[in-house]
Amino acid sequence: MHIKSDSLKVLLIYFLSLTIYSTNAHSDHSELIDFSVEDLLNIEVTSVSKKAKSLNDSPAAIFVITNDDIKRIGATSIPEALRLAPGVNVARIDSNKWAISARGFNGRFANKLLVLIDGRNAYTRAFSGVYWENQDVMLEDVDRIEVIRGPGATLWGANAVNGVINIITKHSADTQGGLLAVGGGTEEQGFGSFRYGGTLNEDTTARAYIKGFKRDESTKQSGGEAGDDWDKVQGGFRIDTQLTARDNLTIQGDSYRSIINQNTTLAQLTAPFQSTFNEKIDTFGGNILARHKHIFSSTSDYSLQFYYDFYERDEVYMKESRHVADLDFQHSFAFLDWNNIIWGTSYRYTHDLLRSTYVTANPTSRNDQLFTAFVQDEITLIEDLLWLTLGSKFEHNDFSGFEAQPTARLMWTPHHKHRLWAAASRTVRTPSRLEHNMTLLRSVSLHPTPTPPHTLVPVALTLTANDQYESEEVFSYEIGYRTTVIKNVSIDFTAFYNNYKNLRSGLFGAPDPSTLPINQPVMPINQNKAHSYGFEIASVWQMLDWWRWDINYSFLKTDYNSNSVSQVLGLTPQQQFSLRSAMSPWQDIDLDFLFRYIDQNTAVTTFGDADIKAYVSLDIRLAWRPINSIELSLVGQNLLAENHHEYNQELFTTPTEIDRGMYGKLAWSF
Amino acid sequence: MPSINKMFFSMLCIALFFSSTNQAWPQSIEKQTVLAALTINIARFTTWPELVFKEPESTFNLCIYGDNVVQQSFSNLINNKQVNKRPIHIINISRLRELNQCQLIYISELERNKLIPLLLELKDKPILTIGENSEFLKAGGLVGLENIKGKIQLTINLAIIKQSKLIISSRLLKLATIVNYPIPNN
């Protein structure tokens, strides 16, 4: 497929506009050095263009979403905030489900993106992926979301194949005082959050929060309400204490309960071979985490972290509970003045219980262990100019055994305004409980018999378990360039090539004609290959002190080995473009918008392949602070169409479209 | 998608219009540039024990912990400038190693749990530490340059200056807010 000429035009205009603007050179104020201290203390200073000028020093495709970014775009959930990141495809399947992935293979059950919340893994072994509707934080207390596209397994572990999302909340010393936010509207029917932070003693600060929301149902693609409205209540806390000047301890925890409605379609062995019904899913979970960090010196420290996390979901096709306990140790130190070494080891214990008559698990309960160790050395090849990072993760899990995931990265900083990096890595996606132990009836359809008279007989496609299923594997090659050579503009460019092996494909077993429907088993095997390549551009332009633009574009091409796209591989749009404007024409007024263009896509589902048309979307937020402690905002989301189609889940649920929405919000800090 | 193009064009036109007529916002100078100029000026009002300079022609080593914006603000200013009659040599200490070569360390942003141990290491050494907020002084830093409502406020932690064997001119002290935070306990 060619890049559409329209998109090329957009890119051209974009670069042209940057060039036009760059000719307006400003002085660098080098005369300031001769000013007196008195004069310098009286100068009016500004720091608004910081984001348009700073360049990240990591040899990886990293993008940071700040607290301010989340607020100013009116995001009410983590997935909405992730729409700000380049090269990340966030597709809302229905009111309560998302498909999120970077660099391809997207789907509700996407399995190549690792997600961590304050160091706690949100990726579940059940299907190898993330239940996004279960992941939430008090968005006002988020410090930043680091989005790393590409492999990150050496530091973060297996399944960081195509990316890592690190959600990091603020230190409790930075969330002192009260915050009350309430609001509501058409899709965000009602929400509220309350946080209070205080000082427990001279060395200890803490906060606690509670939040809740109710979200409206989306629209069925065939028309009518989709019956997928949901609500959630979540609460949590965080305590940070400075035990000594060199030791600090963080203890935090959250718990939630959510009622999710969905319209489910399950295959059945009797005509009409499928049934559709509304169901109410009760899901709840919680976690507690403790982290001790000891600092030996400015170049040496260690951290010891423990967490326990559990969740339970009760769906018609699967009742699942999962408990994870994880212990992690990391130590970093400088060696011989030209090495920065970080190494660590961890142990994870998982207990699960899967009860269902539709998706049957054998065994129904498992206790699994994961051992990992890693070492990484950042070697200074030329002081302040060239660094080489070498490292590898080694792990042993109960599904695929021993895995090694090495990386080599080179960072070159020839000038303040230029950063270049390159990386090569191997990463694996470890098998899921589903692939190893679960069996389910995928679909029943009518097929003609191979011999005359070719009468139509029902055939039941059964997905069966394969406990020999191995890890999927990718070799990734990346290069990146960051520059601020144009005044008040930063550009971050990354290109990549990924070579995937042992991807999932289906092996058709011998059909069993003794029963009707004829049973046709399909088993997951590691026979697929693919390679993908593409590039991503993220740029920031501080046009005026009070007006910033963020412009992102990504291109992705995935070539599968087989002619037909396998039933189990997710897809991702080839092109994505986003344009964000953040304007503060007066100090107490913010006006922001986010415009997105998402290329066409195909959803591969049990109901057949569904074409997803390219779409555009626009979110606008207007905020006013009548006094410093109060902010009133009005947000319009998905404004360009009454509803639009973003993606379909691979199986079970009815295709829906996302509705246009408006909400108002009042935030009071005290 | 012609509608996208049209939208994009009109937004671009609005953008270019505003960029050419921008006079509404008051003239202000970028914070990092002012901070760099202040840092070098403060160094000029500071006297180091002579023994920190190994040779008569040793350079004045100004170490920076900060991103490219911070680094650039210093390197734009210093061409051929001197401190204590010595040429300024800028060293980026991105990995916080080899700190003893520094006469002055400018720390832009460092997470609090790393800052306290770092400043503890430096407490008795003749190294002028300059940071950007009041937390920096409470953690054991010497000089704070904090942006308060668009102006830089100079704060000096006199208690720790006395231990460091550095001498800061009284002219500079007069312009500063003086605090006396003790060094945090080890």
Side-chain angles (χ1 to χ4, degrees), chain A residues 538-562:
Chain A
S539 57
V540 182
W541 175 24
Q542 188 73 45
M543 186 178 75
L544 300 173
D545 278 354
W546 51 274
W547 196 347
R548 192 183 97 202
W549 297 85
D550 290 57
I551 307 160
N552 299 334
Y553 174 80
S554 60
F555 176 82
L556 167 75
K557 184 93 172 73
T558 309
D559 290 324
Y560 295 94
N561 192 33
S562 54

Tab-separated table of all heavy atoms in Angstrom, chain A residues 538-562:
chain	number	residue	atom	x	y	z
A	538	ALA	N	7.604	12.727	16.515
A	538	ALA	CA	6.911	13.502	17.540
A	538	ALA	C	7.560	14.871	17.547
A	538	ALA	O	8.782	14.977	17.599
A	538	ALA	CB	7.069	12.837	18.900
A	539	SER	N	6.756	15.916	17.469
A	539	SER	CA	7.365	17.236	17.481
A	539	SER	C	6.549	18.191	18.324
A	539	SER	O	5.343	18.040	18.484
A	539	SER	CB	7.511	17.764	16.056
A	539	SER	OG	6.266	17.796	15.437
A	540	VAL	N	7.251	19.145	18.878
A	540	VAL	CA	6.635	20.165	19.720
A	540	VAL	C	7.063	21.516	19.176
A	540	VAL	O	8.239	21.721	18.866
A	540	VAL	CB	7.120	20.042	21.183
A	540	VAL	CG1	6.440	21.081	22.055
A	540	VAL	CG2	6.883	18.655	21.720
A	541	TRP	N	6.126	22.393	19.036
A	541	TRP	CA	6.440	23.729	18.551
A	541	TRP	C	5.835	24.741	19.513
A	541	TRP	O	4.613	24.828	19.632
A	541	TRP	CB	5.862	23.904	17.139
A	541	TRP	CG	6.018	25.271	16.564
A	541	TRP	CD1	6.957	26.214	16.886
A	541	TRP	CD2	5.201	25.860	15.541
A	541	TRP	NE1	6.781	27.339	16.134
A	541	TRP	CE2	5.716	27.164	15.300
A	541	TRP	CE3	4.103	25.417	14.808
A	541	TRP	CZ2	5.150	28.013	14.360
A	541	TRP	CZ3	3.542	26.262	13.872
A	541	TRP	CH2	4.068	27.549	13.649
A	542	GLN	N	6.703	25.466	20.208
A	542	GLN	CA	6.218	26.527	21.089
A	542	GLN	C	6.127	27.773	20.225
A	542	GLN	O	7.076	28.516	20.076
A	542	GLN	CB	7.190	26.730	22.261
A	542	GLN	CG	6.672	27.671	23.323
A	542	GLN	CD	5.573	27.055	24.174
A	542	GLN	OE1	5.684	25.921	24.614
A	542	GLN	NE2	4.494	27.802	24.396
A	543	MET	N	4.968	27.958	19.634
A	543	MET	CA	4.819	29.031	18.661
A	543	MET	C	4.888	30.395	19.341
A	543	MET	O	5.536	31.315	18.869
A	543	MET	CB	3.493	28.872	17.928
A	543	MET	CG	3.293	29.845	16.805
A	543	MET	SD	1.741	29.531	15.991
A	543	MET	CE	0.615	30.194	17.174
A	544	LEU	N	4.166	30.507	20.456
A	544	LEU	CA	4.181	31.722	21.258
A	544	LEU	C	4.341	31.304	22.701
A	544	LEU	O	4.168	30.144	23.030
A	544	LEU	CB	2.844	32.470	21.101
A	544	LEU	CG	2.481	32.918	19.695
A	544	LEU	CD1	1.073	33.469	19.699
A	544	LEU	CD2	3.466	33.960	19.213
A	545	ASP	N	4.622	32.272	23.563
A	545	ASP	CA	4.729	31.934	24.974
A	545	ASP	C	3.461	31.238	25.460
A	545	ASP	O	3.501	30.411	26.353
A	545	ASP	CB	4.938	33.201	25.810
A	545	ASP	CG	6.390	33.611	25.809
A	545	ASP	OD1	7.218	32.847	25.255
A	545	ASP	OD2	6.705	34.683	26.351
A	546	TRP	N	2.344	31.571	24.879
A	546	TRP	CA	1.069	31.039	25.378
A	546	TRP	C	0.405	30.066	24.402
A	546	TRP	O	-0.764	29.753	24.524
A	546	TRP	CB	0.126	32.197	25.699
A	546	TRP	CG	-0.021	33.206	24.591
A	546	TRP	CD1	0.789	34.272	24.354
A	546	TRP	CD2	-1.027	33.243	23.575
A	546	TRP	NE1	0.363	34.958	23.262
A	546	TRP	CE2	-0.758	34.368	22.759
A	546	TRP	CE3	-2.131	32.436	23.278
A	546	TRP	CZ2	-1.547	34.693	21.661
A	546	TRP	CZ3	-2.927	32.770	22.175
A	546	TRP	CH2	-2.620	33.894	21.385
A	547	TRP	N	1.166	29.576	23.435
A	547	TRP	CA	0.546	28.685	22.459
A	547	TRP	C	1.538	27.634	21.989
A	547	TRP	O	2.553	27.970	21.387
A	547	TRP	CB	0.028	29.482	21.267
A	547	TRP	CG	-0.942	28.724	20.415
A	547	TRP	CD1	-1.190	27.381	20.445
A	547	TRP	CD2	-1.789	29.257	19.410
A	547	TRP	NE1	-2.142	27.050	19.541
A	547	TRP	CE2	-2.539	28.188	18.878
A	547	TRP	CE3	-2.005	30.535	18.905
A	547	TRP	CZ2	-3.464	28.361	17.865
A	547	TRP	CZ3	-2.930	30.710	17.891
A	547	TRP	CH2	-3.659	29.632	17.378
A	548	ARG	N	1.213	26.382	22.274
A	548	ARG	CA	2.098	25.289	21.898
A	548	ARG	C	1.368	24.303	20.989
A	548	ARG	O	0.187	24.038	21.165
A	548	ARG	CB	2.554	24.550	23.163
A	548	ARG	CG	3.687	23.596	22.919
A	548	ARG	CD	4.037	22.853	24.194
A	548	ARG	NE	3.390	21.561	24.210
A	548	ARG	CZ	3.155	20.876	25.319
A	548	ARG	NH1	3.492	21.369	26.492
A	548	ARG	NH2	2.569	19.707	25.256
A	549	TRP	N	2.089	23.756	20.043
A	549	TRP	CA	1.553	22.716	19.164
A	549	TRP	C	2.347	21.425	19.359
A	549	TRP	O	3.571	21.471	19.448
A	549	TRP	CB	1.679	23.125	17.695
A	549	TRP	CG	0.915	24.344	17.315
A	549	TRP	CD1	1.330	25.634	17.454
A	549	TRP	CD2	-0.377	24.400	16.721
A	549	TRP	NE1	0.367	26.490	16.995
A	549	TRP	CE2	-0.697	25.763	16.525
A	549	TRP	CE3	-1.311	23.426	16.326
A	549	TRP	CZ2	-1.897	26.179	15.963
A	549	TRP	CZ3	-2.501	23.840	15.760
A	549	TRP	CH2	-2.794	25.202	15.586
A	550	ASP	N	1.655	20.316	19.377
A	550	ASP	CA	2.308	19.005	19.388
A	550	ASP	C	1.819	18.269	18.148
A	550	ASP	O	0.618	18.106	17.971
A	550	ASP	CB	1.902	18.194	20.622
A	550	ASP	CG	2.479	18.771	21.893
A	550	ASP	OD1	2.219	19.950	22.173
A	550	ASP	OD2	3.171	18.035	22.617
A	551	ILE	N	2.748	17.857	17.327
A	551	ILE	CA	2.368	17.236	16.070
A	551	ILE	C	3.044	15.872	15.979
A	551	ILE	O	4.268	15.779	16.066
A	551	ILE	CB	2.790	18.120	14.876
A	551	ILE	CG1	2.239	19.535	15.058
A	551	ILE	CG2	2.297	17.520	13.561
A	551	ILE	CD1	2.949	20.586	14.254
A	552	ASN	N	2.252	14.829	15.840
A	552	ASN	CA	2.802	13.477	15.776
A	552	ASN	C	2.315	12.773	14.511
A	552	ASN	O	1.182	12.957	14.082
A	552	ASN	CB	2.342	12.635	16.976
A	552	ASN	CG	2.801	13.213	18.297
A	552	ASN	OD1	3.806	13.919	18.353
A	552	ASN	ND2	2.066	12.931	19.346
A	553	TYR	N	3.202	11.959	13.972
A	553	TYR	CA	2.822	11.152	12.823
A	553	TYR	C	3.518	9.809	12.940
A	553	TYR	O	4.677	9.744	13.358
A	553	TYR	CB	3.251	11.843	11.519
A	553	TYR	CG	3.004	10.987	10.299
A	553	TYR	CD1	1.736	10.905	9.747
A	553	TYR	CD2	4.023	10.241	9.727
A	553	TYR	CE1	1.490	10.098	8.651
A	553	TYR	CE2	3.790	9.431	8.628
A	553	TYR	CZ	2.515	9.364	8.097
A	553	TYR	OH	2.263	8.554	7.020
A	554	SER	N	2.812	8.738	12.594
A	554	SER	CA	3.493	7.445	12.583
A	554	SER	C	3.046	6.625	11.382
A	554	SER	O	1.901	6.715	10.928
A	554	SER	CB	3.236	6.686	13.883
A	554	SER	OG	1.864	6.461	14.055
A	555	PHE	N	3.990	5.863	10.891
A	555	PHE	CA	3.750	4.994	9.742
A	555	PHE	C	4.213	3.596	10.115
A	555	PHE	O	5.279	3.424	10.707
A	555	PHE	CB	4.523	5.506	8.523
A	555	PHE	CG	4.411	4.607	7.333
A	555	PHE	CD1	3.310	4.680	6.499
A	555	PHE	CD2	5.398	3.667	7.057
A	555	PHE	CE1	3.192	3.831	5.407
A	555	PHE	CE2	5.289	2.814	5.967
A	555	PHE	CZ	4.180	2.894	5.143
A	556	LEU	N	3.389	2.625	9.757
A	556	LEU	CA	3.710	1.245	10.123
A	556	LEU	C	3.304	0.319	8.994
A	556	LEU	O	2.216	0.436	8.446
A	556	LEU	CB	2.927	0.867	11.392
A	556	LEU	CG	2.877	-0.606	11.755
A	556	LEU	CD1	4.198	-1.045	12.339
A	556	LEU	CD2	1.759	-0.871	12.746
A	557	LYS	N	4.202	-0.593	8.643
A	557	LYS	CA	3.853	-1.586	7.636
A	557	LYS	C	4.196	-2.947	8.214
A	557	LYS	O	5.302	-3.165	8.700
A	557	LYS	CB	4.679	-1.317	6.374
A	557	LYS	CG	4.344	-2.205	5.217
A	557	LYS	CD	3.303	-1.571	4.307
A	557	LYS	CE	3.125	-2.405	3.039
A	557	LYS	NZ	2.392	-3.655	3.287
A	558	THR	N	3.220	-3.837	8.203
A	558	THR	CA	3.456	-5.186	8.724
A	558	THR	C	3.237	-6.181	7.598
A	558	THR	O	2.197	-6.155	6.941
A	558	THR	CB	2.479	-5.507	9.872
A	558	THR	OG1	2.540	-4.444	10.819
A	558	THR	CG2	2.847	-6.804	10.557
A	559	ASP	N	4.225	-7.022	7.360
A	559	ASP	CA	4.084	-8.067	6.345
A	559	ASP	C	4.058	-9.422	7.023
A	559	ASP	O	4.988	-9.783	7.737
A	559	ASP	CB	5.268	-8.034	5.364
A	559	ASP	CG	5.214	-6.800	4.490
A	559	ASP	OD1	4.107	-6.389	4.127
A	559	ASP	OD2	6.294	-6.256	4.191
A	560	TYR	N	2.961	-10.142	6.792
A	560	TYR	CA	2.860	-11.473	7.364
A	560	TYR	C	3.420	-12.465	6.374
A	560	TYR	O	3.384	-12.257	5.165
A	560	TYR	CB	1.397	-11.812	7.666
A	560	TYR	CG	0.820	-10.933	8.734
A	560	TYR	CD1	0.123	-9.775	8.409
A	560	TYR	CD2	1.003	-11.254	10.074
A	560	TYR	CE1	-0.385	-8.966	9.393
A	560	TYR	CE2	0.485	-10.444	11.053
A	560	TYR	CZ	-0.209	-9.304	10.717
A	560	TYR	OH	-0.707	-8.508	11.690
A	561	ASN	N	3.884	-13.551	6.923
A	561	ASN	CA	4.460	-14.586	6.099
A	561	ASN	C	3.399	-15.276	5.258
A	561	ASN	O	3.551	-15.505	4.073
A	561	ASN	CB	5.151	-15.593	7.024
A	561	ASN	CG	6.025	-16.539	6.269
A	561	ASN	OD1	6.596	-16.158	5.260
A	561	ASN	ND2	6.111	-17.749	6.753
A	562	SER	N	2.269	-15.575	5.898
A	562	SER	CA	1.233	-16.332	5.201
A	562	SER	C	0.382	-15.404	4.339
A	562	SER	O	0.335	-14.201	4.566
A	562	SER	CB	0.354	-17.040	6.227
A	562	SER	OG	-0.131	-16.105	7.155
